Amino acid sequence: MSNRQAPAIEITGLNKFYGSFHALRDINLTVSRGEKVVVCGPSGSGKSTMIRCINQLEEHDAGTIRVLGTALDDSVGSIDEIRREVGMVFQHFNLFPHMTVMENCTLAPMLVRKTPRAEAEATAMRFLEKVRIPDQAEKFPGQLSGGQQQRVAIARALCMKPEILLFDEPTSALDPEMIAEVLDVMSSLATEGMTMICVTHEMGFARKVADRVIFMDRGEIVEEAAPDAFFSNPRNERTRRFLSQVLGH
Amino acid sequence: MTDLSIHAPDPSQRLWRRLRSEYFASPLGSILTLVCVAILGLLIWWVLDWTLFRATFEADARAAECRANGGACWAVIANRWRLIMFGIYPYDEQWRSALACVIVIATVVLSCLPRMWGIIRLAAIWLFAALAFYILMKGGALGLSRVSEEQWGGLALTLFLFVSTVVIGMPLAVMLALMRRSEMPVIARVTGLFIDAIRSLPLLAILFTFAVVLPFVLPAMLTGEKLYRVIVGLAIFFAAYQAEIIRGGLQGTASGQEEAAKALGIPYRYRISRIVLPQAFRLALPATINQIVITFMETSLVVVVGFVELLAAGNAAYNTGEWKFAYVEVYVFISAIYFTFVFGLSRYGAYLERRMNVGRR
């Protein structure tokens, strides 16, 4: 993409309504390249909505979003351009059930980037090895465990070679024993310099991996700080209450 | 340690146990089972006796011999099968009609093979088939004499009506279903209204409208041959119902599927053709097969606007003088033809369902 100096993501004055419900209020957020941001907050606080605005799975009502220097305007072109550079991993994996793991990984590169099949498959194999399931390439998603499916979903996003990865509660739908394998993959991605925004309740992951933690409540960014300061010395009352709830037992 | 391993029961033993527990569990149960077996045996015997043992097969047999034998009089089929298969198509040219049927059936079978599923491949073979069918049936080219559409008939006409209805109607149905869930409310509403309007009209009214009324309303250059107007009517009727079936499939497909495709940057046309529709069709398959089977049966309604399709040709086959007594045989023969096609379709549907369930929970 064009502008190499621009920050990965610049959000200014973002507002979003569902009918009369004010889902996002004046969000301002800048994420620089290679930065890892963890977004937390109670359910319904707008975390998912915010990251879904970045690749326009949700339309916003006011404010500007710039991704890698490209402004998201109403033109279809800018949305497609940005979606190619922004990968997303969903809570419920959303793998394509009628395709094999390999086909899941090669479909978008072949259709969108016009990568030849052989090259797309080689890339897919490389990323499946990275997420440690190369032996499942010919299986269908329904034959895999939840943790394996989520790792395939990460590989699928990586196959588009995105600059930025968005994670929307990637471990919330997993059985407890599978959370670690997914978080491990995410941590190793983080060490390789991927720009990541991750909505999650895994505070251990946030402490270990994040450069910055953001706390949202009722559609606002209430507090943002480096993990040390965030966890040891939260300034806002709402943050303290939230942290005592998720860490307190 | 004691050996507590459990063996799978011996199959023959299992069968015997099942027979006993399900069919001979009590005296009353045993009696009912025996009575049912007896009735079934009688029925089978009666059918075989009529269709085979006492039937008359000689083509030159007539009413007297048939009555003497007491069974079915297959002589009527031997004498009249060409009328049933080809209607009033010129006798010497009927090989063309037969060949056209073979081409259509071959194309249908070919497009049922999963390896042929691709828009370009399907469009190519169907374009070729349509062209070959039309040239063969209509003639006026390649040294073939001209046969007007009014003379087409019998099985060839039934197949032509059915196949063109589905081939034209299915893409139309997909389009209507997608338009009905459009994000633009005007398009969604208008499409919904159109579908509901078509569905609230009886097929007969639509056939009459397209066959009889349209020529008065439209300028001559837009009306075209009656047969093609009727096909358009059938196809629109089919599409209205099939669109709702596909919409059901679309609603059953998880919304996350489309989102995942969007997030990967996959453009709309591929999101629909590669992600959403394959899953929607899988969900809609039983209802789709149902609708296709109904459509096959409904082609017989075109008799009301003057076409001699399979059933009408059958009526004509026994309705001339000497064969008036043999209507049961003719209907059995026609039923067998319908059965062959529809049963084949149903089994194909079942095969597709099994195939699509591979690797799915």
Side-chain angles (χ1 to χ4, degrees):
Chain A
M1 230 180 230
S2 50
N3 197 338
R4 289 262 123 215
Q5 279 78 47
I9 295 166
E10 269 181 291
I11 298 174
T12 42
L14 180 65
N15 276 277
K16 161 93 186 158
F17 293 85
Y18 290 114
S20 59
F21 176 67
H22 203 162
L24 294 176
R25 298 167 193 260
D26 299 318
I27 302 283
N28 294 297
L29 175 68
T30 303
V31 179
S32 50
R33 286 172 192 250
E35 194 179 8
K36 291 98 186 93
V37 176
V38 163
V39 184
C40 60
S43 64
S45 60
K47 322 173 288 279
S48 291
T49 308
M50 181 185 76
I51 69 166
R52 286 161 62 88
C53 282
I54 295 171
N55 63 355
Q56 287 291 289
L57 291 184
E58 302 284 350
E59 287 174 33
H60 56 286
D61 296 305
T64 58
I65 301 174
R66 297 177 82 85
V67 179
L68 302 162
T70 304
L72 263 176
D73 45 42
D74 285 339
S75 74
V76 180
S78 79
I79 293 177
D80 281 348
E81 199 178 335
I82 283 166
R83 282 179 181 161
R84 281 197 290 269
E85 306 302 331
V86 180
M88 189 167 204
V89 175
F90 298 86
Q91 181 178 3
H92 296 289
F93 331 134
N94 298 356
L95 293 176
F96 307 131
H98 58 304
M99 298 181 184
T100 63
V101 165
M102 179 56 87
E103 287 165 342
N104 265 280
C105 291
T106 55
L107 181 72
M110 285 167 63
L111 290 181
V112 180
R113 295 232 191 260
K114 309 289 175 205
T115 313
R117 177 182 294 273
E119 193 188 324
E121 285 181 352
T123 310
M125 215 54 212
R126 194 152 53 79
F127 286 120
L128 286 174
E129 271 158 28
K130 189 195 257 316
V131 301
R132 296 195 285 277
I133 35 175
D135 48 328
Q136 312 282 6
E138 295 314 316
K139 288 200 180 161
F140 286 92
Q143 297 167 302
L144 305 182
S145 73
Q148 289 174 322
Q149 289 193 48
Q150 193 60 297
R151 284 184 283 148
V152 171
I154 294 173
R156 176 175 72 176
L158 289 173
C159 281
M160 282 296 283
K161 308 210 171 127
E163 303 263 340
I164 301 164
L165 266 185
L166 308 174
F167 292 86
D168 189 2
E169 305 205 25
T171 56
S172 302
L174 293 176
D175 291 335
E177 75 272 19
M178 293 170 183
I179 291 176
E181 66 190 52
V182 171
L183 291 180
D184 280 351
V185 167
M186 289 166 62
S187 303
S188 78
L189 278 177
T191 58
E192 288 162 28
M194 175 69 76
T195 308
M196 292 164 60
I197 301 183
C198 183
V199 174
T200 185
H201 298 295
E202 297 296 330
M203 291 302 123
F205 174 81
R207 209 188 285 262
K208 198 175 74 177
V209 173
D211 297 316
R212 190 159 35 130
V213 181
I214 287 175
F215 174 70
M216 286 182 74
D217 190 23
R218 290 179 224 154
E220 295 173 299
I221 293 183
V222 174
E223 182 153 354
E224 53 178 304
D228 281 348
F230 183 85
F231 288 110
S232 57
N233 190 19
R235 278 160 303 173
N236 192 292
E237 170 55 32
R238 282 192 269 174
T239 318
R240 279 198 286 275
R241 206 179 322 127
F242 174 76
L243 284 177
S244 75
Q245 276 161 358
V246 291
L247 301 174
H249 52 90
Chain B
M1 278 179 93
T2 42
D3 182 18
L4 285 176
S5 64
I6 296 167
H7 300 284
D10 175 22
S12 64
Q13 225 180 352
R14 198 161 44 183
L15 181 72
W16 173 236
R17 211 181 304 156
R18 256 190 68 185
L19 267 179
R20 247 192 23 197
S21 70
E22 287 173 19
Y23 299 100
F24 297 99
S26 65
L28 185 63
S30 308
I31 291 172
L32 279 176
T33 302
L34 291 176
V35 168
C36 287
V37 168
I39 292 175
L40 209 64
L42 263 174
L43 266 175
I44 292 173
W45 168 256
W46 185 79
V47 168
L48 287 178
D49 185 49
W50 186 79
T51 54
L52 296 175
F53 304 150
R54 291 197 291 153
T56 312
F57 290 97
E58 294 78 16
D60 48 4
R62 287 298 178 268
E65 292 122 82
C66 286
R67 287 226 179 81
N69 286 339
C73 190
W74 298 122
V76 64
I77 307 299
N79 280 278
R80 288 286 197 250
W81 68 273
R82 287 178 71 144
L83 179 59
I84 297 174
M85 294 306 233
F86 308 121
I88 49 173
Y89 205 83
Y91 194 85
D92 291 330
E93 305 289 332
Q94 284 177 0
W95 63 269
R96 283 160 53 183
S97 192
L99 190 57
C101 279
V102 170
I103 289 177
V104 169
I105 293 171
T107 314
V108 169
V109 170
L110 216 64
S111 36
C112 283
L113 300 177
R115 68 166 55 180
M116 293 304 291
W117 294 349
I119 290 170
I120 295 171
R121 277 182 214 183
L122 281 181
I125 59 172
W126 278 105
L127 213 65
F128 172 78
L131 207 68
F133 185 93
Y134 184 77
I135 291 173
L136 270 170
M137 290 295 283
K138 179 87 188 235
L142 305 174
L144 299 171
S145 61
R146 213 176 157 75
V147 181
S148 80
E149 280 87 350
E150 267 110 55
Q151 290 170 280
W152 300 8
L155 180 63
L157 182 64
T158 291
L159 279 181
F160 181 60
L161 285 167
F162 165 64
V163 168
S164 21
T165 299
V166 175
V167 169
I168 299 169
M170 193 61 88
L172 199 61
V174 171
M175 235 170 59
L176 287 175
L178 292 176
M179 280 163 70
R180 189 158 194 179
R181 69 195 271 283
S182 162
E183 282 167 13
M184 283 174 266
V186 177
I187 292 182
R189 292 258 175 76
V190 171
T191 313
L193 257 166
F194 175 77
I195 290 173
D196 290 345
I198 296 290
R199 288 197 307 171
S200 27
L201 295 171
L203 180 54
L204 278 184
I206 289 177
L207 288 179
F208 268 119
T209 309
F210 278 81
V212 182
V213 181
L214 270 194
F216 293 111
V217 184
L218 288 179
M221 53 174 290
L222 281 180
T223 53
E225 195 62 47
K226 182 164 82 175
L227 177 60
Y228 304 121
R229 292 202 306 271
V230 165
I231 286 175
V232 170
L234 282 171
I236 290 176
F237 189 78
F238 172 80
Y241 286 82
Q242 181 60 26
E244 288 294 281
I245 292 173
I246 296 173
R247 192 167 68 97
L250 291 171
Q251 282 176 344
T253 305
S255 65
Q257 290 292 308
E258 220 180 336
E259 284 184 355
K262 273 185 192 172
L264 286 164
I266 298 175
Y268 178 80
R269 63 176 190 283
Y270 292 124
R271 290 206 297 270
I272 295 300
S273 67
R274 306 293 286 272
I275 308 295
V276 178
L277 276 183
Q279 296 184 55
F281 262 106
R282 177 175 157 259
L283 291 175
L285 187 69
T288 301
I289 296 285
N290 216 0
Q291 191 59 37
I292 288 177
V293 164
I294 290 172
T295 302
F296 190 78
M297 306 298 194
E298 277 175 349
T299 55
S300 58
L301 286 179
V302 299
V303 67
V304 300
V305 289
F307 287 105
V308 190
E309 45 65 62
L310 186 56
L311 193 59
N315 282 333
Y318 72 79
N319 236 334
T320 48
E322 51 183 345
W323 296 112
K324 273 213 151 69
F325 69 97
Y327 57 90
V328 177
E329 286 84 348
V330 171
Y331 283 132
V332 167
F333 180 66
I334 290 173
S335 308
I337 296 177
Y338 274 109
F339 183 85
T340 309
F341 282 99
V342 171
F343 194 72
L345 264 172
S346 306
R347 293 323 300 162
Y348 174 65
Y351 153 77
L352 274 188
E353 265 180 68
R354 275 199 311 279
R355 188 191 130 86
M356 288 175 168
N357 274 324
V358 173
R360 239 43 83 61
R361 276 179 207 159

